[in-house]
Amino acid sequence: MNRQSRSELHVVVLAAGKGTRMRSSRPKVLHEIAGRSMLAHCLDTAAALDPASIRVVIGHQGEAVRESQADRDVDWVWQHEQNGTGHAVQLGIEGLQAQADDRVVVLYADVPLLGVDLLKRLVGSNSVVSLLTMHMDDPSGYGRILRDDAGRVRRIVEQKDASEAERQVREVNTGILMARYGDLVAWLDQLESGNAQGELYLTDIIEMAAAEDKTVEAVVAKDAWAVSGVNDRLALSRLERVYQQRQAEALALAGTTLADPARIDIRGSLDCGQDVSIDVGCVFEGSVRLGDNVRIGPHCILRDCEIGPGSTVEAFSHIDGVVTAGDNAIGPYARLRPGAALDSAAKIGNFVEIKAARIGERSKVNHLSYVGDARVGDDSNLGAGTITCNYDGANKHHTEIGDRVFVGSATQLVAPVSVGHDATIGAGSTITRNVGEGQLAVARARQSVIDGWRRPRKKRD
Ligand code: UD1
Ligand code: CA
């Protein structure tokens, strides 16, 4: 962390609140936006400022909150009773190794979409206190920003303490602010709880600053979503949509064709080559890379995978932990599970499941098959209904199939077993012993034929 600059930066993240309106057994700040907790989003934003320290104030279900981010370089501070935002910040800066002119930034862990650029504007202010505010058509519930005739910020009044006239003010406090350490300590010491909620209000420091003639700057956020807090699940899902819409717009502007930017969900990172197109209803999780000219059909789910250039993934395919070389045709209704690897131009058709198996160049598994713990060579064809019986109830076993192998339909390969290059397996076989190069294996009952067979007839009463 940055310790070079003269005036250092410290971040205090408030995350002790209960979040009753989420109606959840999970702590509020662990609810997710794009597959990551609100707290994780907030801590990423904090870390992007490269501060000297980050402290997170926890209370309600604090153990779970801390556990969720166990490997972060942050300090955890307990606030056992939630006596207000002022109390939380008092605890948050207790014992901090800081100079009087160091900056302390207060963030809320339930404001997940705060952008780094906006935050940098707040932090970059040279004033003693700077506040992030916004204008709202319906300001109810928020603290109102009260300015004097010259437009200077004088005070923040909470909704519950505001007069009828004060409630008309549309500029509200987002809660996010920056203050100099020395002044902050002094002001926090003077806080009193003689207000409608009987709490120590952090917002009361603004009136103290104004009384000392210290400049209070207000940075006005243009986009409400960037500073919106989450109190219930409706707000959470609305912010999720904003987040997704923004990612989709960035992707489209970077050159990916989206059938509908309102119908794509990216929960992680999606990296697209040139001329990629994505149809509606797809979900991308973890880290996904799509090569040049990849086409993804509607309603596919791709997680932690790399799809090689020129490949096509047809509708309703589910791909997880997979690498494909390129020019692959996958789906519709394919399921590729962790450890599946497709060499170039390999083809996986409908209702086919592949797990921990490598499929060689130009090989095809086109219909209704399961290939697990296997290696298939180049130019082989596995017929409809081919099953690798890889599990004996206790252990998994490997199936090895060579190049140019033809496996007839409805074949079971009971692993461990191998099939040599150029071998052929007759349809309906249950292969339990190795098949050598160029051999034909047929392992099924012979057909018997009975002439003049008379079908049973229904009895009459
Ligand atoms: C606070 C502000 C209000 C602002 C609003 C924006 C005060 C007094 N009021 O009100 O001006 O418009 O946020 O959303 O600051 N928290 C703790 N410990 C506590 C109390 C709160 O950690 O003792 C945390 C909560 O978990 C939450 C944040 O602080 O993340 C805000 O608390 P909340 O109770 O939601 O504050 P509001 O009453 O909404
Ligand atoms: Ca709130």
Side-chain angles (χ1 to χ4, degrees):
M1 286 189 182
N2 179 12
R3 288 203 165 265
Q4 273 100 59
S5 52
R6 265 185 306 121
S7 152
E8 282 183 336
L9 181 67
H10 302 272
V11 178
V12 176
V13 175
L14 304 192
K18 190 157 179 205
T20 313
R21 282 170 285 169
M22 296 299 279
R23 298 175 185 277
S24 176
S25 62
R26 218 189 325 173
K28 171 161 86 171
V29 298
L30 297 191
H31 282 260
E32 294 176 347
I33 296 279
R36 298 176 62 245
S37 71
M38 291 197 274
L39 178 61
H41 284 275
C42 178
L43 292 183
D44 281 352
T45 306
L49 296 174
D50 197 16
S53 74
I54 300 176
R55 291 212 172 158
V56 187
V57 181
I58 49 175
H60 189 75
Q61 292 181 288
E63 280 305 341
V65 173
R66 185 170 65 178
E67 265 314 288
S68 78
Q69 304 291 315
D71 41 11
R72 292 260 188 185
D73 185 14
V74 304
D75 296 319
W76 304 92
V77 178
W78 282 92
Q79 186 194 25
H80 293 288
E81 262 176 87
Q82 279 82 64
N83 294 331
T85 50
H87 179 237
V89 176
Q90 278 176 353
L91 296 174
I93 64 171
E94 215 170 62
L96 199 65
Q97 298 292 314
Q99 306 294 316
D101 68 339
D102 281 359
R103 293 153 205 249
V104 177
V105 177
V106 176
L107 301 181
Y108 287 4
D110 57 3
V111 178
L113 302 193
L114 179 65
V116 177
D117 291 344
L118 183 58
L119 191 54
K120 280 188 174 156
R121 276 176 58 205
L122 184 80
V123 173
S125 160
N126 279 322
S127 52
V128 174
V129 186
S130 74
L131 288 174
L132 204 50
T133 72
M134 65 174 158
H135 292 276
M136 295 192 86
D137 291 339
D138 175 13
S140 53
Y142 286 87
R144 310 295 204 281
I145 306 292
L146 305 180
R147 294 175 183 259
D148 64 16
D149 294 341
R152 288 175 302 193
V153 176
R154 304 306 296 178
R155 189 156 75 87
I156 297 176
V157 62
E158 292 303 297
Q159 162 100 12
K160 286 182 179 145
D161 300 287
S163 66
E164 208 33 64
E166 288 165 341
R167 286 184 186 183
Q168 301 310 310
V169 173
R170 300 250 174 108
E171 187 182 6
V172 304
N173 175 31
T174 66
I176 292 151
L177 60 78
M178 184 277 284
R180 302 287 166 169
Y181 176 73
D183 295 296
L184 184 61
V185 171
W187 295 329
L188 290 174
D189 275 348
Q190 300 169 47
L191 289 183
E192 285 169 15
S193 56
N195 52 53
Q197 302 182 78
E199 290 181 352
L200 299 179
Y201 288 170
L202 174 62
T203 44
D204 285 351
I205 69 168
I206 302 306
E207 192 172 8
M208 298 176 192
E212 293 174 18
D213 260 341
K214 301 219 158 106
T215 16
V216 178
E217 190 186 328
V219 172
V220 184
K222 281 201 306 299
D223 300 309
W225 53 261
V227 288
S228 285
V230 168
N231 289 321
D232 54 40
R233 297 199 208 209
L234 181 60
L236 183 72
S237 55
R238 284 186 173 140
L239 288 189
E240 174 80 33
R241 288 343 299 162
V242 170
Y243 187 85
Q244 294 300 344
Q245 186 73 25
R246 286 173 50 77
Q247 289 192 122
E249 284 165 10
L251 198 60
L253 290 175
T256 296
T257 298
L258 300 178
D260 183 354
R263 282 183 289 169
I264 176 171
D265 284 81
I266 304 167
R267 302 172 191 150
S269 71
L270 172 58
D271 182 14
C272 292
Q274 209 169 29
D275 293 312
V276 167
S277 79
I278 300 172
D279 213 326
V280 299
C282 293
V283 177
F284 298 88
E285 297 184 337
S287 159
V288 175
R289 285 182 60 110
L290 305 178
D292 293 349
N293 300 302
V294 163
R295 192 168 60 75
I296 308 290
H299 304 290
C300 292
I301 298 173
L302 288 85
R303 180 186 304 132
D304 293 320
C305 62
E306 220 177 300
I307 305 297
S311 299
T312 300
V313 178
E314 301 288 358
F316 299 105
S317 292
H318 192 289
I319 300 180
D320 181 5
V322 172
V323 176
T324 90
D327 295 321
N328 303 104
I330 301 167
Y333 299 99
R335 180 165 185 221
L336 305 189
R337 291 171 53 201
L342 305 185
D343 289 348
S344 86
K347 228 181 139 207
I348 304 301
N350 42 221
F351 305 106
V352 171
E353 175 180 349
I354 310 278
K355 184 217 77 171
R358 179 156 169 201
I359 311 296
E361 292 181 17
R362 295 171 301 279
S363 286
K364 293 173 185 162
V365 190
N366 272 342
H367 327 271
L368 300 153
S369 293
Y370 172 61
V371 180
D373 301 302
R375 166 82 175 98
V376 176
D378 298 342
D379 298 297
S380 287
N381 187 4
L382 275 55
T386 299
I387 306 285
T388 53
C389 309
N390 58 333
Y391 186 51
D392 59 13
N395 296 299
K396 300 279 170 66
H397 300 284
H398 183 81
T399 300
E400 184 76 24
I401 296 175
D403 298 339
R404 299 170 303 279
V405 168
F406 181 91
V407 178
S409 298
T411 290
Q412 298 110 60
L413 298 148
V414 181
V417 72
S418 72
V419 180
H421 297 316
D422 301 293
T424 303
I425 295 179
S429 292
T430 300
I431 299 297
T432 54
R433 283 184 288 137
N434 293 348
V435 180
E437 276 193 40
Q439 289 183 325
L440 165 68
V442 184
R444 60 171 184 248
R446 278 191 179 275
Q447 180 170 334
S448 51
V449 177
I450 297 169
D451 286 331
W453 173 252
R454 289 180 60 179
R455 287 189 205 162
R457 298 200 176 183
K458 241 190 181 150
K459 282 189 192 144
R460 290 180 189 251
D461 308 311

